[in-house]
Amino acid sequence: MARRHAYRANEASGAGAALTIDESSSLDELTQPGGSASDSASDLFAALNVDVIASNPLSGPIIVPQRVPIGDSGIEVHPLALGASTFGWTLSTEQAFDVLDRFAGLGGSLVDTADSYAAGRSESIIGKWMDSRGTRDRMAIATKIGHHPDHRGLSPVEISSAVDDSLLRLGVERIDLLYFHGDDTEVPLEESLGAVDALITAGKVGAIGAADFTPDRLIEARVLAANGLPRFQALTTKYNLMERRPFEGAPELVAHAQGLAVLPYFGLASGFLGGQVRRRADVRHDARGERQARYLGRRGHRVLAAVDEIAFAHGVQPATIALSWLLAKPTVVAPVVSASRPDHVDALMAAASVELQRSEIVELDRASA
């Protein structure tokens, strides 16, 4: 059953972030420290699993879904992360800024990138945006190392150099969450973790995660952590309604047993679950289109039909329901999803405010089995 979403999208704004409150009190009044209104509001917000945060000088404070922890890292984030793989590739700097502005304005707080995305341009764009908007203190940054052309693999030398370069591009002193971007079986895992340990001690890295590690390697990493090396706090892997089997089973069991925060990528199956591709004629002739075309067929249509029905019942977009299904999974903390336009961000963020009924989760599970 969905575990943390306590209010519905039809009570929300386009981003699922507004809340109906006594009309006699403004949000500013309710959130002023010291006073019965403030105390009552705090109790109400706690009961509804929401937070009040500063968004920007124009909108003032807004109400958003309660932030969720990433393992034991001390990092708490909005339960939807913005993927930045398209920044500097299919999105220009200006277009990426527009998407980031919308994400931050709706309470988003975790941006996911990698040093290899657009050969580092993604990190540079995020760094320029944080500097120009003054948002570093409100954003957690997750990046990945191991695939950059200049720093391949996870040897201690490459890890140290890759992190220094990422810090420069991002314009920050610390990477909040550093992922090993895939495994490197040619380097002993204890050497890689030892290198990160030094970076954590130096204040350059806050916490670490694994991207697409096998269950065996995650278990090995936990054994090493028991002997004093840094512990993985998060796992990012491909997981969505159309691709369930690779994660469900041993990876999910290990993630649950280790208390790993799972941040699945490709949560919308390359955009297929957004519902825009229904037949071969809808498929674009590019790499993304080729990935979407693989989902067309009896099972794909069955999944879209179930998503459509539930989305209509909740008054939201199909993409919102596909992500809400992920958020109903016990190990999932925040899906990582990209947006090509600012208005797309609304439907993504709304997923955190949709409470799926048990029967709806069962229907989606059945359709996607």
Side-chain angles (χ1 to χ4, degrees):
M1 183 175 292
R3 55 199 170 87
R4 62 171 160 264
H5 316 307
Y7 58 105
R8 296 182 179 280
N10 59 10
E11 297 172 345
S13 68
L19 185 67
T20 302
I21 303 176
D22 183 353
E23 293 181 359
S24 64
S25 299
S26 70
L27 183 55
D28 286 331
E29 291 171 339
L30 286 169
T31 54
Q32 288 298 316
S36 58
S38 176
D39 294 339
S40 299
S42 297
D43 293 341
L44 175 62
F45 298 152
L48 293 175
N49 292 327
V50 295
D51 290 328
V52 178
I53 66 166
S55 175
N56 58 61
L58 296 178
S59 67
I62 61 173
I63 297 173
V64 299
Q66 194 169 63
R67 295 193 175 195
V68 290
I70 296 179
D72 297 323
S73 67
I75 303 170
E76 294 187 345
V77 298
H78 183 286
L80 192 288
L82 181 66
S85 61
T86 58
F87 294 179
W89 178 39
T90 58
L91 293 189
S92 67
T93 297
E94 182 179 356
Q95 291 170 323
F97 273 34
D98 289 342
V99 169
L100 285 163
D101 284 343
R102 187 66 172 171
F103 178 69
L106 296 175
S109 57
L110 176 62
V111 181
D112 179 276
T113 184
D115 66 354
S116 58
Y117 291 166
R121 290 191 295 278
S122 174
E123 290 182 329
S124 296
I125 288 172
I126 294 167
K128 292 175 182 176
W129 174 78
M130 288 192 296
D131 181 60
S132 67
R133 304 298 197 260
T135 54
R136 175 61 180 115
D137 61 337
R138 295 195 289 112
M139 288 292 146
I141 301 299
T143 194
K144 311 173 195 71
I145 58 170
H147 285 181
H148 192 281
D150 295 337
H151 305 295
R152 292 196 178 278
L154 297 173
S155 70
V157 171
E158 296 297 353
I159 287 175
S160 180
S161 298
V163 166
D164 283 342
D165 285 355
S166 288
L167 289 170
L168 285 173
R169 285 189 290 265
L170 290 164
V172 299
E173 295 181 352
R174 185 183 72 170
I175 295 167
D176 300 300
L177 178 61
L178 179 73
Y179 285 107
F180 287 170
H181 202 173
D183 202 354
D184 184 352
T185 56
E186 296 184 1
V187 179
L189 189 54
E190 57 265 34
E191 291 186 12
S192 300
L193 291 172
V196 172
D197 190 29
L199 294 171
I200 293 175
T201 300
K204 295 182 177 182
V205 171
I208 60 169
D212 295 318
F213 269 45
T214 65
D216 288 345
R217 287 291 265 181
L218 290 173
I219 292 171
E220 180 184 350
R222 179 52 62 92
V223 171
L224 293 170
N227 290 314
L229 289 173
R231 181 168 76 87
F232 286 139
Q233 300 290 343
L235 171 68
T236 186
T237 188
K238 185 188 295 185
Y239 184 39
N240 56 63
L241 275 165
M242 297 303 301
E243 297 183 80
R244 295 175 53 185
R245 291 184 180 178
F247 175 69
E248 294 178 356
E252 186 175 26
L253 288 172
V254 171
H256 180 74
Q258 296 188 0
L260 294 173
V262 177
L263 293 89
Y265 62 85
F266 280 1
L268 294 178
S270 298
F272 176 78
L273 294 169
Q276 301 302 310
V277 175
R278 305 277 176 162
R279 54 184 182 170
R280 295 287 172 181
D282 298 330
V283 176
R284 299 187 311 187
H285 298 290
D286 56 18
R288 181 180 175 87
E290 290 178 5
R291 292 194 296 269
Q292 292 174 336
R294 293 201 299 267
Y295 303 125
L296 286 172
R298 183 175 299 176
R299 178 170 175 265
H301 289 302
R302 186 172 69 241
V303 170
L304 287 181
V307 169
D308 286 343
E309 181 179 358
I310 297 170
F312 180 79
H314 286 267
V316 297
Q317 296 296 315
T320 305
I321 296 302
L323 297 176
S324 296
W325 175 83
L326 281 173
L327 283 167
K329 299 302 177 180
T331 58
V332 172
V333 167
V336 179
V337 192
S338 300
S340 57
R341 301 202 313 257
D343 56 294
H344 290 171
V345 178
D346 294 50
L348 307 181
M349 301 287 280
S353 65
V354 172
E355 182 183 8
L356 294 178
Q357 299 298 316
R358 176 62 183 169
S359 60
E360 294 171 332
I361 297 172
V362 169
E363 177 59 27
L364 290 169
D365 285 343
R366 182 184 298 117
S368 61

